[in-house]
Amino acid sequence: MTRTDGQGTILIADYDFGDVDIERAIIEGAGFRLVAAQCKSEDEVIERGRDADGVLTQYARVGARAVDAFTRCRVIARYGTGVDIVDVDAATRRGIQVTNAPNEWCAEEVADHAVALWLAAARKVCQYDRATRQGEWHWKTGQPIWRLRGRVLGLLSFGAIARLIAERAQAFGVEVWAHDPFLDESEMRSRDVRPVSFDDLVEGADYLVVQSPLTPRTHHTFDRATLGRMKPSAVLVNTARGPIVEDAALLQALTEGWIAGAALDDLEEEPAKQRDWRPRNALLDLPNVIVTPHAAYYSEEAVGAVRRIAAEEAVRVLTGRPARSPVNDVTPVP
């Protein structure tokens, strides 16, 4: 039964914000008890959240086992837009509302970060910086670098964030192509973006920015077969989820010269989901790779917003009000 008397427990399954002060003010202000944990496995989510009325999760997986183990849970609120870490179907079967944060909370930040990674990789900024700090002062350190104007920047997906990336990229004189099978091509053309097939995107882009969601269908989209079809001078930028790119395949592509470089905001192993992660990934040793720690979404404004959204959604559902950003359609329990 959904509680409306302001009593119950909300678990924060995991967080990397340093504190839970924002959430505490909202959750305890509504009369609920807050429990903050640092779960790194589904077993830990089950242990800490079995009897919780609501669960907030940042990286911790809330799969079918956890959903089935919950005894009172009515809402799972995701810190963020993607819900690949939540078994939404299992939650729906149990009548549990899943919520997320709409793209707007960090769209500007991710677009800025994608363009920053693209430019840093294309202009060899990190390579120059490392060499200069080691006493090498020469423009040839970054050779070859190609002029941006007139080249092709490709976008995999053309959602809200990709549209902002296109808007920014066009200022540099590149031709923007996009592939999105779920969008009418007229939407792209209206923004001076050329709609293309996936094959044309992979084979024709000089810079390819991945901004698609992670689903079973998009997992390892960039494997050896796909990477082997890209231009030898191409740069791959991933500001979506790490597992869309197969790390082992990318390592081979970069070391054997199939493509020229990569800039990644996440790795396939998704370090934030692991306890005691160590930088053993061989991609981190390559000079033609830039890696940032899944930070594309970050600004002080964005982090504050997503924390408020998740906490408020949990409280709304547990007090009998509809979620503002529901992921699934559930029948209210009387």
Side-chain angles (χ1 to χ4, degrees), residues 164-175:
L164 293 173
I165 295 170
E167 178 184 295
R168 287 157 168 75
Q170 285 164 338
F172 291 90
V174 293
E175 182 180 350

Side-chain angles (χ1 to χ4, degrees), residues 151-209:
R151 297 176 80 80
V152 173
L153 182 138
L155 292 164
L156 182 58
S157 99
F158 200 64
I161 295 173
R163 293 171 198 178
L164 293 173
I165 295 170
E167 178 184 295
R168 287 157 168 75
Q170 285 164 338
F172 291 90
V174 293
E175 182 180 350
V176 180
W177 296 2
H179 173 71
D180 191 327
F182 304 104
L183 192 68
D184 192 293
E185 292 183 354
S186 63
E187 177 64 29
M188 302 181 199
R189 292 194 180 96
S190 70
R191 298 170 183 269
D192 294 323
V193 172
R194 177 179 170 184
V196 295
S197 67
F198 179 75
D199 290 343
D200 286 344
L201 185 78
V202 168
E203 295 169 9
D206 296 295
Y207 317 103
L208 204 164
V209 182

Side-chain angles (χ1 to χ4, degrees), residues 226-236 250 252-262 288:
T226 304
L227 291 164
R229 292 160 52 202
M230 294 178 68
K231 291 182 177 182
S233 58
V235 171
L236 179 68
L250 181 60
Q252 184 176 1
L254 291 164
T255 54
E256 296 184 7
W258 303 359
I259 65 173
N288 53 347

Side-chain angles (χ1 to χ4, degrees), residues 295-309:
Y297 67 86
Y298 169 65
S299 72
E300 286 296 301
E301 295 89 345
V303 167
V306 78
R307 293 173 66 181
R308 286 189 295 272
I309 289 168

